[in-house]
């Protein structure tokens, strides 16, 4: 594994990891504080066929913290462009984003349509999309499982005044909510071992201070070949958002896994890696 820190043209610094061999696949994690380590743990099978570049967005890992006004998913797409330039790529062969990282990757494909060939979105959040009804239905369904009661209580608690360490502990408590089978949550050592998560990042990107731009009306600008995976038991990035995205991107492909939550490579690993690899090799 290689680890690098480079300076962008605006003087900020960005951090990334390089693993695997084959065509380059840039991996975009959420920028609200998890870093890319859980993806480095989970996406190892892809490293047999691709060189994965795991980007740490601004204010994550060793990357520079920006002004709060520049901590939006729209702005964060520029970090992918800085990385493309650093790697001296004419275009990005494959850009993969998970969850909020998918939101950023999608903004990149909207803003820089001629700079990405293939776009892979795993349970992405569609910026500015109202998915409240699907969220309510998901919570009602999860309440039927007694194992979900304590995680749901932690998930719906207030996080606004927590320390970074306490915020991490709350995430560990509500992690099962993100799975179809709550027992599957223990399979990620990285997520279960979180010790500190910057609340500053979360408040700007997902909390009350977030400033969403609306992606739905911009989707027609995407020219990259696009493939999406969504999961029926994901309470935050529901399939409704995938359906809306597919309707907006001409020729895009969407698959929805049953009995699977927010981390498809954990609960549907065989299908996830097969489908991504087949799409990238078309």
């Amino acid at each position: 594994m290689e680890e690098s820190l480079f300076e962008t043209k605006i003087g900020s610094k960005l951090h990334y990891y390089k693993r695997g061999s084959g065509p380059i696949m840039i991996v975009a994690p959420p920028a609200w504080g998890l870093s890319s380590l859980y993806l480095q743990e989970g996406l190892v099978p892809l490293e047999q066929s691709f060189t994965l570049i795991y980007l740490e967005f601004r204010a994550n890992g060793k990357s520079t913290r920006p002004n709060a006004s520049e901590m939006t998913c729209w702005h964060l797409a520029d970090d992918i462009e800085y990385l493309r330039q650093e790697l001296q790529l004419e275009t990005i062969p494959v850009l993969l984003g998970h969850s909020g990282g998918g939101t950023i990757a999608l903004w990149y494909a909207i803003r820089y349509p001629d700079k990405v060939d293939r776009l892979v979105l795993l349970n992405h959040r569609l910026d500015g999309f109202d998915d409240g009804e699907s969220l309510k239905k998901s919570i009602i369904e999860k309440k039927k499982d007694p194992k979900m009661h304590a995680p749901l209580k932690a998930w719906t608690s207030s996080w606004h005044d927590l320390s970074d360490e306490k915020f991490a502990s709350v995430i560990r408590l509500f992690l099962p909510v993100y799975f179809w089978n709550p027992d599957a949550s223990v399979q990620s050592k990285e997520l279960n071992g979180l010790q500190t998560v910057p609340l500053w990042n979360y408040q700007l990107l997902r909390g009350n201070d977030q400033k969403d731009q609306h992606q739905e009306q911009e989707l027609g600008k995407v020219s990259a070949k696009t493939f999406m995976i969504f999961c029926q038991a994901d309470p935050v990035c529901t399939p409704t958002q995938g359906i809306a995205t597919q309707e907006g991107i001409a020729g895009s492909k969407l698959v929805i896994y049953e009995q699977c939550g927010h981390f498809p490579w954990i609960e549907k690993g065989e299908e996830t890696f097969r489908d991504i690899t087949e799409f990238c090799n078309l």
Side-chain angles (χ1 to χ4, degrees):
M1 179 184 70
E2 299 178 26
E3 184 177 358
S4 299
L5 191 69
F6 70 95
E7 187 169 326
T8 71
K9 65 181 182 182
I10 63 170
S12 61
K13 292 183 178 180
L14 289 174
H15 177 202
Y16 70 88
Y17 300 87
K18 181 179 179 181
R19 299 173 54 161
S21 60
I24 286 179
M25 176 185 291
I26 291 179
V27 178
W32 58 264
L34 287 181
S35 89
S36 69
L37 295 179
Y38 80 100
L39 291 171
Q40 292 183 47
E41 172 192 63
L43 301 184
V44 169
L46 291 177
E47 295 170 9
Q48 299 175 16
S49 303
F50 304 94
T51 298
L52 271 62
I53 309 292
Y54 298 91
L55 175 61
E56 297 288 6
F57 286 107
R58 58 189 69 176
N60 288 266
K62 299 175 184 176
S63 298
T64 306
R65 176 183 282 197
N67 293 327
S69 62
E70 296 178 344
M71 196 68 179
T72 72
C73 289
W74 188 94
H75 287 91
L76 286 155
D78 283 332
D79 290 355
I80 298 174
E81 176 61 8
Y82 297 143
L83 178 60
R84 182 195 68 81
Q85 294 171 12
E86 172 68 15
L87 298 175
Q88 299 181 347
L89 297 172
E90 183 175 346
T91 61
I92 299 172
V94 183
L95 175 60
L96 181 150
H98 174 242
S99 189
T103 312
I104 302 167
L106 183 53
W107 272 124
Y108 183 82
I110 291 169
R111 294 182 54 204
Y112 299 92
D114 60 338
K115 298 301 183 183
V116 56
D117 298 328
R118 295 179 187 269
L119 179 65
V120 179
L121 302 173
L122 307 181
N123 301 68
H124 74 277
R125 183 179 66 86
L126 187 58
D127 219 357
F129 185 78
D130 183 1
D131 204 20
E133 286 303 313
S134 295
L135 172 62
K136 290 177 184 177
K137 291 178 181 178
S138 179
I139 293 176
I140 290 171
E141 187 64 29
K142 288 182 182 292
K143 283 182 177 179
K144 297 177 182 178
D145 185 348
K147 290 184 178 180
M148 288 291 192
H149 292 175
L152 281 168
K153 183 177 180 180
W155 192 46
T156 55
S157 64
S158 175
W159 312 334
H160 301 301
D161 298 319
L162 301 180
S163 67
D164 292 352
E165 292 74 20
K166 183 61 177 176
F167 184 38
S169 71
V170 172
I171 292 173
R172 295 197 304 270
L173 288 173
F174 68 62
L175 189 59
V177 173
Y178 285 71
F179 290 81
W180 175 74
N181 175 8
D183 295 333
S185 64
V186 302
Q187 294 184 34
S188 173
K189 293 182 179 179
E190 286 294 338
L191 293 172
N192 280 278
L194 289 172
Q195 296 301 311
T196 179
V197 176
L199 190 62
W200 185 85
N201 292 30
Y202 183 85
Q203 288 173 332
L204 291 173
L205 284 163
R206 299 297 300 122
N208 292 336
D209 298 330
Q210 70 182 33
K211 296 180 180 179
D212 284 338
Q213 285 94 350
H214 292 266
Q215 286 182 315
E216 194 171 7
Q217 61 263 40
E218 306 280 352
L219 294 175
K221 297 178 180 178
V222 176
S223 61
K225 294 180 179 179
T226 303
F227 174 61
M228 292 169 281
I229 292 175
F230 273 80
C231 303
Q232 201 64 51
D234 187 341
V236 287
C237 298
T238 67
T240 306
Q241 300 188 50
I243 293 168
T245 305
Q246 184 188 33
E247 290 174 350
I249 301 178
S252 60
K253 180 181 178 181
L254 167 67
V255 298
I256 300 173
Y257 296 156
E258 299 290 334
Q259 299 183 349
C260 187
H262 192 60
F263 304 95
W265 59 88
I266 293 179
E267 292 189 286
K268 294 286 183 178
E270 182 178 348
E271 296 91 331
T272 298
F273 297 122
R274 178 200 65 207
D275 290 346
I276 292 173
T277 301
E278 287 182 357
F279 168 74
C280 292
N281 289 334
L282 287 176

